[in-house]
Amino acid sequence: MKNKPLDPAQLYKPCNIEQLKFNSTEELEDIDITVGQQRAVDAVKLGIRMHKNGYNIFAMAPSGTGKLTTVRQLVEHEASRQNIPSDWCYVNNFNQPAKPKAIKLMPGQGKVFKHDMAQLIDELSIAIPTAFDGEEYRSRTGEIETESRQREISELNQLREEAVNAHIILTETPTGYAFSPSDENNEIISPEQFGKLDKDKQHEIQKSIFELQERLAKLLKNFPIWRKETKRKLQALNREVAEQAVNHSIDDLIEKYAKQEAVLDYLNEVQKDIVEHVLDFLPRSEKMFPFMELQQESNPFKRYYVNLMVDFSDKKSAPVIYEDHPNYSNLVGRIDHQAYMGSLVTDFTMIKPGALHKANGGYLIIDARKLLTQPYAWDTLKRTLQSGEIRIESLERALSLISASSLEPESIPLNLKLVLMGEPLIYYLLSQYDPEFHDLFKIAADFDESVSREDSVNDYARLLATIARREKLRPLSQNAVARIIEHSSRMVGDAEKLLTHLRSITDLLTESDYWAENNGHEHIVNIDVQQAIDHKTHRLDKLREKLYENIHRGTVLIDTEGRVTGQVNGLSVLQLGEFSFGQPSRITATTRLGSGKVVDIERETELGGAIHSKGVLILSSFIASRYSRTTPFSVAASLVFEQSYGHIEGDSASLAELCVILSSIAQVPLRQDLAITGSVNQLGNVQPIGGVNEKIEGFFDICTQKGLTGSQGVIIPATNIKHLMLRWDVVHAAKSGQFSIYAVSTVDEAFELLTGMEAGVTNEQGVYPPESFNGRVDAQLSQFTKIKKEFNRKQIKEASNPGSDD
């Protein structure tokens, strides 16, 4: 045989201990965990330093690759160089309470301003009652009220004197005032006495009484006017006293915030409102103004509160916020409500900030998948970025799901850098289906799951040391680091690469630390690492064990010895969560005279995927182009994965399918002690496939259960050699000659291994050697063609001579 098994040294690439210049990771310094992510790091740096609209960042990487840690480190480093952004607060709009005003303050002043306003109200709640309880106020109030009463009394006395001069007496009754005639002694005369007077006298007295009543009516009409004047005088006095008390307390604040126009405008409005509502500051039980009705709220001072939305008093640089639950309210904020008298009410103090407020002036990091699963969150975030302002609106009210009093807070200008993190698929789907996406996210940071092994061994060791220290794990010995490096290549499926999936690395270190503790080791050694690897496999391999048991018991038919025509062992990989394993499958083919059609039974039964069907079409094209270039392709073939009851996808079995069809055509048996995997193109070249390590180990495990004979092995594409990181037991079996791995580049090499025959090449006339495998295939196809021609000629003859008995 020309094709020899791979050298055992090609099956596993051990870590060169001499490269590790340390005894344990205690000796190594920490390293940035962005090992091997220079492309993504450069993209993130560009994005966070570009202060232009739309240069937000989408960090692409599968979950667990450490992109959040990397992005946060880069962003926090950049944020440390930025100035602290402004504080923001909402205050009452005294003219339109439903539209609270937003006030921007210097960093850290929001908290001070809120305290100043609270202190102002506390001072006024004492100063105003004190001012109204003073002797001066009482004296001036008494003077105004006395003056008002004296005016009324004086006018009434004057009228009374005029009545007395006319022998008429003014008396007060329960219902008002009355005039009665009197005698010379000013004694009221009775009706009988009045009746005894002569008619002229009676008429004169009645006339006087009528005139006096008219004057009294006019006088009584003036009393409410005079009392209103008195009330206005008292109100003016109240305003004067209130202004003196308020101005004395608020002047200091006006001077303190003289350079902040928005705050000054608000303080002036506060000053006017307090004067207008001065009675709110007086004790409820005090009836200082019996002519005025005190209408006090449960907390009348709430209107002067300051709702501090963003407080950066404890920050030393620009904020970096990671929003773990990016729903609508958590992004743009919300307006809370409370039940009152059977309805929901709210005010400006119930406005709550969102992540956009907290990150304003800095950086906001959001997981794209979590964002997209929240209703209306994605559209709201885009609209906010486009408008450049944060507008708080109740989602329930926007969707007309609730009927309640609500607010329209003034919008706050937005200035932040947004970083979305998600799988590459999410990025490409948004790119394809959202036309606004690239306008807002111009920077894509593509994180890699692997790094070159050749140049990164020492950096990788430092990475392991950094993770161990960060997770408070034991230091790793030199051999433990070497074992993890080797397993890292195995996890990434490439002997020339190292895995950078931080979650997987951290989990391995954590479990290795557990076994080190269990084994009483001071450091994590290679035995502890191997125990962690083996135990994880044991936790997850129940299904693999059941499948292999079915093969061993003969329930699933797999031969590992002998030769069979039209039958071969193919290899596939099953992925179950974090665990994948190889599964041998019997592939069979039948051939007969036909019209050149290869029937893929998997496709016909809708169990085969598009890529698998593509592989079948490619191999059928290869057969036709190689063996029937000048003659009809007169064969029909049926191809199937035996005992397959699930969906089949991928083209990694196309080489095996090609071999089994040609075996059936040529009637040449194929070795059952070999399994084969590989993809084939139309030119007969064998192409690489995935999961090569798992596939080899799967067939090895079946052969081990049935008994190793020394002839068993696996055929793989030669382009997969660099991916080999096989288990130690497979490598040892190869070293001892009990199991072999063959690498092929062309289909002919595979034919020779499976049949033991020369594949054969065409001579100058384009004819294969008769005893070669290709020659036998060609001969059989020529025979099919000859039979078909004779059959067609016979049909034509019968059609032209319908009465002939020939």
Side-chain angles (χ1 to χ4, degrees):
M1 293 292 297
K2 297 178 183 178
N3 207 314
K4 296 181 180 180
L6 292 177
D7 189 277
Q10 296 177 277
L11 307 182
Y12 188 86
K13 184 178 180 180
C15 178
N16 185 0
I17 293 292
E18 294 180 359
Q19 289 184 278
L20 306 177
K21 307 295 184 181
F22 58 87
N23 293 319
S24 78
T25 55
E26 287 176 301
E27 305 169 20
L28 301 179
E29 297 179 354
D30 285 348
I31 192 174
D32 194 337
I33 63 170
T34 59
V35 173
Q37 304 291 357
Q38 195 57 47
R39 177 190 291 105
V41 169
D42 291 342
V44 173
K45 286 181 178 179
L46 174 64
I48 60 181
R49 292 172 182 174
M50 282 286 291
H51 301 292
K52 298 291 183 181
N53 292 336
Y55 280 87
N56 297 299
I57 303 164
F58 193 105
M60 292 188 288
S63 176
T65 52
K67 60 182 180 295
L68 173 58
T69 306
T70 301
V71 168
R72 179 172 280 178
Q73 283 182 354
L74 293 171
V75 169
E76 286 177 349
H77 180 267
E78 184 65 22
S80 66
R81 302 163 53 188
Q82 305 295 330
N83 295 327
I84 306 173
S86 302
D87 290 351
W88 284 92
C89 62
Y90 275 112
V91 296
N92 187 28
N93 185 340
F94 298 103
N95 296 323
Q96 293 179 292
K99 296 182 178 181
K101 292 184 177 181
I103 293 182
K104 178 181 179 181
L105 296 123
M106 299 293 289
Q109 278 198 343
K111 190 174 184 179
V112 176
F113 180 57
K114 181 177 181 178
H115 177 265
D116 287 344
M117 285 302 301
Q119 191 173 20
L120 172 66
I121 300 305
D122 287 343
E123 290 177 0
L124 292 178
S125 64
I126 297 173
I128 291 177
T130 301
F132 280 94
D133 197 37
E135 288 296 330
E136 181 182 355
Y137 175 77
R138 290 180 182 276
S139 175
R140 294 180 63 181
T141 303
E143 289 176 3
I144 294 172
E145 291 177 346
T146 300
E147 181 183 348
S148 176
R149 287 193 297 270
Q150 287 296 332
R151 185 177 183 182
E152 292 179 10
I153 293 170
S154 175
E155 292 293 332
L156 283 172
N157 287 341
Q158 184 179 350
L159 184 62
R160 186 177 282 113
E161 288 177 3
E162 292 179 8
V164 169
N165 292 337
H167 297 288
I168 297 171
I169 296 176
L170 176 63
T171 60
E172 294 186 24
T173 67
T175 59
Y177 293 95
F179 289 99
S180 302
S182 64
D183 56 17
E184 297 295 334
N185 296 322
N186 291 327
E187 295 290 336
I188 297 175
I189 62 175
S190 64
E192 292 80 6
Q193 291 175 323
F194 182 76
K196 294 177 181 180
L197 299 175
D198 58 59
K199 297 297 183 181
D200 292 338
K201 187 66 173 177
Q202 288 181 6
H203 182 71
E204 182 183 352
I205 292 173
Q206 287 175 341
K207 182 180 179 182
S208 297
I209 289 175
F210 180 74
E211 291 175 352
L212 289 170
Q213 284 177 336
E214 285 185 341
R215 290 185 59 188
L216 177 62
K218 291 181 180 179
L219 181 61
L220 291 177
K221 286 181 180 180
N222 288 333
F223 280 5
I225 298 173
W226 297 344
R227 288 172 183 172
K228 285 182 180 179
E229 290 178 359
T230 302
K231 184 178 179 181
R232 283 195 292 270
K233 289 179 181 180
L234 288 172
Q235 286 177 337
L237 175 61
N238 293 342
R239 180 177 292 274
E240 179 185 346
V241 174
E243 285 178 350
Q244 290 177 353
V246 173
N247 292 348
H248 183 270
S249 299
I250 208 169
D251 282 347
D252 292 340
L253 286 184
I254 291 176
E255 183 179 353
K256 182 176 182 179
Y257 296 98
K259 295 182 180 180
Q260 302 191 50
E261 186 176 348
V263 178
L264 285 181
D265 292 341
Y266 172 69
L267 290 175
N268 289 330
E269 292 178 7
V270 168
Q271 186 177 16
K272 294 176 183 177
D273 191 79
I274 291 175
V275 171
E276 292 174 2
H277 297 82
V278 67
L279 297 183
D280 291 344
F281 288 82
L282 301 178
R284 290 177 181 272
S285 60
E286 191 171 338
K287 300 297 182 180
M288 300 179 65
F289 308 100
F291 51 83
M292 298 182 71
E293 197 174 322
L294 298 179
Q295 295 182 346
Q296 293 182 310
E297 304 173 1
S298 58
N299 184 4
F301 303 148
K302 194 175 184 181
R303 59 197 288 117
Y304 308 114
Y305 285 1
V306 173
N307 183 1
L308 183 56
M309 295 286 287
V310 181
D311 176 24
F312 289 127
S313 58
D314 59 342
K315 297 288 184 182
K316 297 182 180 179
S317 61
V320 177
I321 302 297
Y322 172 67
E323 179 52 56
D324 186 54
H325 186 46
N327 61 19
Y328 179 91
S329 298
N330 288 347
L331 284 176
V332 298
R334 67 182 189 277
I335 302 172
D336 288 344
H337 292 74
Q338 64 181 12
Y340 178 75
M341 300 291 288
S343 63
L344 295 175
V345 296
T346 186
D347 58 53
F348 74 98
T349 63
M350 297 185 191
I351 303 173
K352 306 299 180 184
L356 291 169
H357 295 92
K358 298 172 185 176
N360 200 8
Y363 304 87
L364 177 60
I365 305 172
I366 301 176
D367 186 284
R369 182 181 293 275
K370 293 178 180 178
L371 175 68
L372 293 170
T373 56
Q374 296 297 327
Y376 304 100
W378 173 242
D379 287 336
T380 301
L381 181 62
K382 287 194 300 179
R383 186 170 61 251
T384 303
L385 292 173
Q386 289 166 343
S387 65
E389 58 183 22
I390 311 170
R391 187 180 298 111
I392 302 176
E393 182 182 11
S394 170
L395 181 60
E396 296 84 356
R397 182 177 177 83
L399 299 176
S400 300
L401 298 177
I402 189 171
S403 177
S405 61
S406 189
L407 303 177
E408 297 179 23
E410 183 180 359
S411 59
I412 293 177
L414 178 66
N415 177 29
L416 59 72
K417 187 68 67 174
L418 178 61
V419 182
L420 279 188
M421 302 182 305
E423 293 82 359
L425 177 62
I426 295 177
Y427 174 82
Y428 296 124
L429 287 174
L430 289 173
S431 300
Q432 180 69 26
Y433 295 108
D434 191 333
E436 300 171 327
F437 177 70
H438 282 296
D439 292 334
L440 299 173
F441 295 90
K442 297 180 182 293
I443 300 295
D446 199 352
F447 285 79
D448 201 344
E449 281 193 279
S450 63
V451 62
S452 172
R453 176 171 169 177
E454 184 178 354
D455 304 324
S456 306
V457 170
N458 288 305
D459 285 345
Y460 204 79
R462 289 177 61 193
L463 174 64
L464 298 178
T466 303
I467 295 174
R469 275 193 283 268
R470 187 183 65 185
E471 299 295 326
K472 297 180 173 54
L473 306 176
R474 288 170 173 77
L476 289 82
S477 70
Q478 186 186 56
N479 287 331
V481 171
R483 182 68 189 97
I484 292 175
I485 287 174
E486 294 166 357
H487 186 66
S488 176
S489 292
R490 169 59 189 258
M491 286 192 288
V492 81
D494 193 329
E496 298 175 358
K497 300 285 186 180
L498 292 174
L499 185 71
T500 57
H501 193 269
L502 292 183
R503 185 174 62 199
S504 299
I505 299 170
T506 303
D507 291 347
L508 177 58
L509 289 180
T510 303
E511 294 177 30
S512 300
D513 181 74
Y514 166 80
W515 290 109
E517 180 181 5
N518 196 58
N519 296 331
H521 296 155
E522 242 181 77
H523 295 70
I524 298 174
V525 298
N526 57 343
I527 297 174
D528 305 320
V529 176
Q530 190 59 46
Q531 276 188 277
I533 295 169
D534 293 342
H535 198 272
K536 182 174 182 178
T537 301
H538 179 68
R539 293 197 306 267
L540 300 173
D541 75 340
K542 186 184 78 170
L543 182 58
R544 180 181 70 172
E545 184 179 308
K546 297 295 183 184
L547 288 173
Y548 289 1
E549 180 183 348
N550 286 335
I551 294 173
H552 182 62
R553 297 172 65 186
T555 306
V556 175
L557 302 178
I558 297 291
D559 291 335
T560 59
E561 296 183 75
R563 294 171 179 261
V564 179
T565 300
Q567 175 178 303
V568 75
N569 292 321
L571 296 171
S572 59
V573 172
L574 292 183
Q575 179 77 41
L576 301 173
E578 295 181 343
F579 183 64
S580 60
F581 61 92
Q583 180 188 12
S585 299
R586 174 177 287 181
I587 302 174
T588 62
T590 58
T591 56
R592 57 204 174 276
L593 179 65
S595 58
K597 183 178 180 181
V598 176
V599 177
D600 179 9
I601 294 177
E602 305 298 335
R603 174 174 178 155
E604 297 298 323
T605 56
E606 298 184 355
L607 290 176
I611 298 176
H612 175 261
S613 299
K614 175 185 175 182
V616 174
L617 291 174
I618 289 174
L619 68 89
S620 62
S621 297
F622 167 79
I623 296 173
S625 64
R626 170 174 277 198
Y627 302 106
S628 302
R629 294 186 65 186
T630 58
T631 58
F633 188 36
S634 305
V635 68
S638 296
L639 189 67
V640 70
F641 279 71
E642 303 289 357
Q643 294 182 286
S644 169
Y645 309 105
H647 191 76
I648 293 175
E649 182 59 299
D651 64 350
S652 65
S654 60
L655 177 60
E657 291 166 335
L658 173 61
C659 293
V660 78
I661 289 175
L662 296 181
S663 167
S664 177
I665 293 173
Q667 290 296 294
V668 174
L670 301 178
R671 293 175 58 183
Q672 302 301 298
D673 54 0
L674 292 179
I676 185 170
T677 182
S679 167
V680 65
N681 64 18
Q682 291 190 113
L683 304 177
N685 298 317
V686 179
Q687 303 169 141
I689 44 83
V692 64
N693 293 296
E694 290 80 1
K695 291 177 177 179
I696 293 172
E697 291 165 357
F699 190 66
F700 173 80
D701 289 338
I702 298 304
C703 292
T704 302
Q705 287 183 348
K706 292 193 172 188
L708 293 173
T709 62
S711 65
Q712 294 147 333
V714 174
I715 300 172
I716 65 170
T719 46
N720 278 122
I721 294 175
K722 57 181 175 293
H723 300 135
L724 293 178
M725 286 294 291
L726 294 170
R727 287 193 327 241
W728 290 346
D729 55 343
V730 182
V731 177
H732 292 159
K735 284 182 178 179
S736 61
Q738 294 181 300
F739 196 79
S740 302
I741 291 90
Y742 300 93
V744 297
S745 299
T746 65
V747 293
D748 288 333
E749 294 176 10
F751 297 158
E752 292 178 351
L753 284 167
L754 286 171
T755 63
M757 300 173 60
E758 291 289 335
V761 295
T762 57
N763 57 23
E764 294 179 356
Q765 289 75 37
V767 179
Y768 290 103
E771 298 303 318
S772 68
F773 179 76
N774 285 325
R776 297 186 65 169
V777 172
D778 191 45
Q780 183 61 60
L781 289 175
S782 298
Q783 182 67 23
F784 281 153
T785 301
K786 181 178 180 182
I787 295 172
K788 187 174 182 180
K789 286 181 179 179
E790 291 178 356
F791 180 76
N792 290 339
R793 188 164 49 250
K794 183 177 180 181
Q795 282 188 317
I796 293 171
K797 183 176 180 181
E798 289 177 351
S800 61
N801 301 298
S804 172
D805 293 332
D806 186 12

